Amino acid sequence: MVGMKEVAKRAGVSVSTVSNVLNNKKNVGPETRERVLKVCRELNYQPNAAGRLLKSGRSDTILFNFSDFDRSFYLKIINGVYDYLKDNGYDLIICTDKSCEKYMTGKLTSGSIILDRKMKTETLVRIAGEHYPIVVLDRIIDNPYIKSVVVNNYEPMYELVQGLVDRGYRRFGFVGGPEDTADNQERFKAFSDCLTANGIGFQQKFYFAGNYREKSGATAAKILMLSNELPDCLVCANDNMAIGAIKTFMQNGIRVPEDIAVTGFDDCDLAEAMGLTTVSIPNYERGYLAARYLIENIRGQRNVEPFKISANIKWRETVLDKRAGR
Amino acid sequence: MVGMKEVAKRAGVSVSTVSNVLNNKKNVGPETRERVLKVCRELNYQPNAAGRLLKSGRSDTILFNFSDFDRSFYLKIINGVYDYLKDNGYDLIICTDKSCEKYMTGKLTSGSIILDRKMKTETLVRIAGEHYPIVVLDRIIDNPYIKSVVVNNYEPMYELVQGLVDRGYRRFGFVGGPEDTADNQERFKAFSDCLTANGIGFQQKFYFAGNYREKSGATAAKILMLSNELPDCLVCANDNMAIGAIKTFMQNGIRVPEDIAVTGFDDCDLAEAMGLTTVSIPNYERGYLAARYLIENIRGQRNVEPFKISANIKWRETVLDKRAGR
DNA sequence: TTGTAAGCGTTATCAA
DNA sequence: TTGATAACGCTTACAA
């Protein structure tokens, strides 16, 4: 409500002097500075961000974007992002929409970290530039101003499946995520490659395309139960779907892991609580890293080589070890 | 990067005409409108929010503020807020800091929903006004421009404790949250009142002041185990602490609920998965409601009567029914 | 050390 | 139906 003009009038100086005081310029007398600050306090003056941004084009604010409210581990990513930014003097705003495009301009924010799949790659490519670097999570974009931070899906999934084979499992089912996402493709490829390498066949009827939500795991389980033979292990492309499947099995008297083993991917809070065998993604750390890379790029340290974060397996109770002697 | 000026030049019209087209004014010829829109598409024109805000002072954007990344159910609140806002033509930005004060001005956002306890009441009172309504969650502020949306803590906690007494529990422990928060005070008062009403004494040595985090529940459990007598039921002021306590008990060979019953408050995802008896707070709904009240206040429908959301009890496996015949 | 004035990108008013 | 122009609140040369 109250602007610099009013402050200037009350302090008996010009607006530029007020501006200079507020921006800690040295070209202002100590006595004048005091007087101006006093008036600011009295009037409860709050600078109007719009005016400032419009003129200066500097913001020291980073935009984070996500949209899936079902994934509670997103909070951990945000936590990592926030901690790094805070330590480095940047503010964070979060947007859950494509309305965030509005803020993705050097005038309002200095860069973005994008998690939402709904933000189209072509849009990001258009927005990113010399003065507006972007970090994307969970997808790879080849662009001089966009850095990709992705989880290494292939190796841990391969290792997980190999572990399942080693533990005696032979008949596998797979519940996938959206088929157009790179991480889902990698997870399935690792799954499939590992079975092939072990000379184990995979029946297409045991493949289900889900959407990473709990409900689609439940649906997959229901469909599986319709057939008169279950696989002995259901590998899911993420935890939510694994949990949906487990709940459905249990509600229908099918025991996990005795009747069917189930594995996930993510290691969300629930996974630990339910004893789900899964691949653990270090979420806080990848948020932190994403923020670090973004700031480094903003500061001119150009580096857009895709970064792969490693993940590791948590063997828990939803899988049995069926090897002899155990 | 590309502004109205450039669009105007390319379309062979003036900036005001461009503005009129973009704001759907009727005073522009259909043919001109088409031409302008075409150029906008070609140049990928994005309006500069700062410029618009500066001039119009209208933003149709709401600010949401939180800071505790451990509480995964916050995502549900945000989900509710987002859904309501979206349906009503408002955008949402989220801030996890007191840096959000920067955005809390009618020029940048139209109102705020505040969840973070770190935002001081006096600050909110200063910011709120005729043209900037605020909704606060989980605290009550008496101010003509601030609406409070709080959970009804007392009744369900009283009912929970009465249920525990009915089930045969007599020796209670209590793990509280921060003692200066209203909701913790209410939860403890309900607990305490109910015991008194049932003629059951409460030993101060079974009271622990926590901070709503899992770790403080674990600490309380550890301290309890040092004494040579456990209460037979540990009532916790939220789920996180209850979960911390349960994990600690189990790691130390104390069985829940056989050796000690445990209850929580919140009904977070984990609570359901772990079978924790708790009070279920409808988080999505309270986010939705908070957003609704805010928009109503923005639209001039003044209503700052504090609103209490009711919660209900989920009896699950961390409590036994010790009544005869069960 | 301080003030004047131009300009940031937009919208609104008013004249053409 | 269109276009000049002023104004929004601020920063920043540059002049005093």
Side-chain angles (χ1 to χ4, degrees):
Chain A
M1 220 61 181
V2 34
M4 288 202 345
K5 208 149 71 180
E6 179 130 3
V7 174
K9 193 188 296 174
R10 292 268 283 241
V13 298
S14 73
V15 280
S16 40
T17 300
V18 176
S19 172
N20 285 330
V21 169
L22 294 171
N23 292 289
N24 285 312
K25 307 283 187 201
K26 44 328 208 70
N27 58 349
V28 46
E31 188 244 343
T32 315
R33 156 165 279 126
E34 264 324 304
R35 190 150 33 93
V36 169
L37 289 175
K38 182 151 158 284
V39 174
C40 284
R41 253 174 278 124
E42 283 169 9
L43 298 184
N44 251 319
Y45 169 76
Q46 290 287 119
N48 177 320
R52 186 201 304 256
L53 290 172
L54 186 53
K55 182 59 187 171
S56 70
R58 297 269 67 229
S59 70
D60 288 355
T61 298
I62 299 302
L63 179 75
F64 181 88
N65 158 260
F66 78 101
S67 76
D68 192 338
F69 300 100
D70 285 349
R71 309 239 205 149
S72 61
F73 62 82
Y74 279 7
L75 276 184
K76 295 196 183 138
I77 299 180
I78 298 174
N79 199 172
V81 169
Y82 173 70
D83 284 354
Y84 184 86
L85 293 182
K86 194 177 174 193
D87 289 349
N88 287 272
Y90 281 79
D91 285 337
L92 170 67
I93 65 174
I94 302 165
C95 197
T96 61
D97 227 5
K98 67 183 178 44
S99 77
C100 70
E101 282 183 49
K102 189 163 76 179
Y103 306 104
M104 295 180 71
T105 144
K107 295 286 172 174
L108 291 176
T109 54
S110 307
S112 310
I113 299 174
I114 304 294
L115 182 52
D116 189 358
R117 292 199 160 73
K118 293 197 218 82
M119 284 294 297
K120 295 212 190 86
T121 293
E122 59 185 37
T123 307
L124 298 178
V125 166
R126 172 167 56 74
I127 293 173
E130 174 78 35
H131 298 295
Y132 201 86
I134 293 179
V135 170
V136 289
L137 293 169
D138 292 347
R139 77 175 115 171
I140 290 187
I141 298 181
D142 184 22
N143 178 284
Y145 309 113
I146 303 181
K147 170 106 185 175
S148 299
V149 173
V150 296
V151 172
N152 183 357
N153 291 289
Y154 191 91
E155 275 77 11
M157 180 57 106
Y158 194 102
E159 192 189 331
L160 172 69
V161 177
Q162 186 62 53
L164 292 166
V165 171
D166 292 346
R167 282 165 175 74
Y169 290 96
R170 289 295 177 272
R171 291 157 43 79
F172 288 90
F174 189 88
V175 184
E179 300 191 326
D180 56 347
T181 63
D183 53 9
N184 178 64
Q185 285 163 15
E186 288 170 24
R187 290 171 198 180
F188 180 68
K189 183 156 197 324
F191 168 81
S192 165
D193 286 357
C194 183
L195 291 192
T196 305
N198 284 275
I200 298 176
F202 177 64
Q203 303 181 51
Q204 199 56 34
K205 69 169 178 178
F206 287 157
Y207 175 90
F208 304 89
N211 61 3
Y212 279 152
R213 290 168 187 271
E214 189 172 317
K215 207 165 173 186
S216 67
T219 305
K222 280 174 201 153
I223 295 174
L224 264 181
M225 291 184 303
L226 289 180
S227 117
N228 47 11
E229 45 166 13
L230 285 178
D232 53 25
C233 179
L234 186 62
V235 174
C236 303
N238 83 342
D239 284 353
N240 283 358
M241 296 192 296
I243 288 163
I246 291 174
K247 284 185 183 168
T248 304
F249 285 139
M250 299 210 307
Q251 281 157 15
N252 288 273
I254 295 178
R255 295 164 306 163
V256 175
E258 293 81 356
D259 299 326
I260 185 168
V262 177
T263 67
F265 206 110
D266 281 344
D267 198 25
C268 63
D269 287 347
L270 262 174
E272 191 186 353
M274 295 183 66
L276 177 67
T277 290
T278 190
V279 176
S280 180
I281 299 177
N283 286 301
Y284 176 90
E285 290 76 7
R286 65 179 171 135
Y288 193 91
L289 258 178
R292 201 179 89 187
Y293 281 121
L294 182 61
I295 299 305
E296 286 176 1
N297 273 286
I298 287 172
R299 297 195 169 142
Q301 202 173 323
R302 282 270 116 84
N303 169 1
V304 293
E305 188 70 16
F307 184 87
K308 285 210 170 193
I309 291 187
S310 60
N312 56 68
I313 299 170
K314 304 277 186 192
W315 291 100
R316 299 206 183 96
E317 297 84 51
T318 56
V319 167
L320 287 177
D321 195 333
K322 310 204 274 187
R323 281 173 283 198
R326 307 230 176 184
Chain B
M1 220 59 182
V2 34
M4 287 201 348
K5 208 148 70 179
E6 180 131 359
V7 174
K9 194 188 296 174
R10 294 266 285 241
V13 297
S14 72
V15 280
S16 26
T17 298
V18 176
S19 173
N20 285 330
V21 169
L22 294 170
N23 291 287
N24 284 312
K25 307 282 189 203
K26 46 324 211 70
N27 60 348
V28 45
E31 189 245 341
T32 317
R33 156 165 280 124
E34 263 325 302
R35 188 150 34 94
V36 169
L37 289 175
K38 181 151 160 283
V39 174
C40 284
R41 253 173 278 125
E42 282 169 11
L43 297 184
N44 253 319
Y45 167 77
Q46 289 288 119
N48 178 319
R52 188 200 302 259
L53 290 173
L54 183 54
K55 182 59 187 168
S56 70
R58 299 269 65 229
S59 70
D60 288 355
T61 298
I62 299 303
L63 179 76
F64 181 88
N65 157 261
F66 78 101
S67 76
D68 191 336
F69 300 99
D70 285 349
R71 308 238 203 149
S72 61
F73 63 81
Y74 279 6
L75 276 183
K76 294 195 186 141
I77 299 180
I78 298 173
N79 199 173
V81 169
Y82 173 70
D83 284 354
Y84 184 86
L85 293 181
K86 195 177 173 195
D87 289 348
N88 286 272
Y90 281 78
D91 285 337
L92 170 67
I93 65 174
I94 302 164
C95 198
T96 61
D97 226 7
K98 67 182 179 44
S99 78
C100 69
E101 284 184 48
K102 189 163 78 178
Y103 305 104
M104 295 179 72
T105 142
K107 295 286 174 177
L108 289 176
T109 54
S110 307
S112 310
I113 299 174
I114 304 293
L115 182 51
D116 189 358
R117 293 200 159 71
K118 293 198 219 82
M119 284 296 296
K120 296 211 191 88
T121 293
E122 58 185 36
T123 308
L124 298 178
V125 166
R126 172 166 58 72
I127 293 173
E130 174 76 34
H131 299 294
Y132 201 84
I134 293 179
V135 170
V136 288
L137 293 168
D138 292 347
R139 78 175 114 171
I140 290 187
I141 298 181
D142 184 22
N143 179 283
Y145 308 114
I146 303 181
K147 169 108 185 173
S148 299
V149 173
V150 296
V151 172
N152 183 359
N153 291 289
Y154 191 91
E155 275 76 12
M157 180 57 107
Y158 194 101
E159 192 190 331
L160 173 68
V161 177
Q162 185 63 53
L164 293 167
V165 171
D166 292 345
R167 281 165 176 74
Y169 290 96
R170 290 294 177 273
R171 290 159 42 79
F172 288 90
F174 189 88
V175 184
E179 300 191 327
D180 57 346
T181 62
D183 52 9
N184 179 62
Q185 286 162 15
E186 288 170 22
R187 290 170 198 181
F188 181 67
K189 183 155 195 324
F191 168 80
S192 166
D193 286 357
C194 183
L195 291 192
T196 305
N198 284 276
I200 298 175
F202 177 64
Q203 302 181 52
Q204 199 56 35
K205 70 169 179 178
F206 285 157
Y207 175 90
F208 304 88
N211 61 5
Y212 279 153
R213 290 167 188 272
E214 189 172 317
K215 208 166 172 183
S216 67
T219 305
K222 280 174 200 150
I223 294 174
L224 262 182
M225 291 184 301
L226 289 180
S227 118
N228 45 13
E229 44 166 12
L230 285 179
D232 51 26
C233 180
L234 185 63
V235 174
C236 303
N238 83 343
D239 284 353
N240 283 358
M241 297 192 297
I243 289 164
I246 291 173
K247 285 185 182 166
T248 305
F249 285 140
M250 300 211 306
Q251 281 157 14
N252 289 274
I254 295 178
R255 294 165 306 163
V256 176
E258 293 82 357
D259 298 326
I260 184 168
V262 177
T263 68
F265 206 110
D266 281 345
D267 198 25
C268 63
D269 287 347
L270 262 174
E272 191 187 351
M274 294 182 68
L276 177 65
T277 290
T278 189
V279 175
S280 180
I281 299 177
N283 286 301
Y284 176 89
E285 290 77 6
R286 64 179 171 135
Y288 193 90
L289 259 179
R292 203 179 86 187
Y293 281 121
L294 183 61
I295 299 305
E296 287 176 1
N297 273 285
I298 287 173
R299 296 193 169 144
Q301 201 173 323
R302 282 271 114 83
N303 168 1
V304 293
E305 190 69 17
F307 185 88
K308 284 209 170 192
I309 290 186
S310 58
N312 55 69
I313 300 171
K314 303 277 186 192
W315 292 101
R316 299 205 184 96
E317 297 83 53
T318 56
V319 168
L320 286 177
D321 194 333
K322 309 204 273 187
R323 282 174 284 197
R326 308 233 174 183

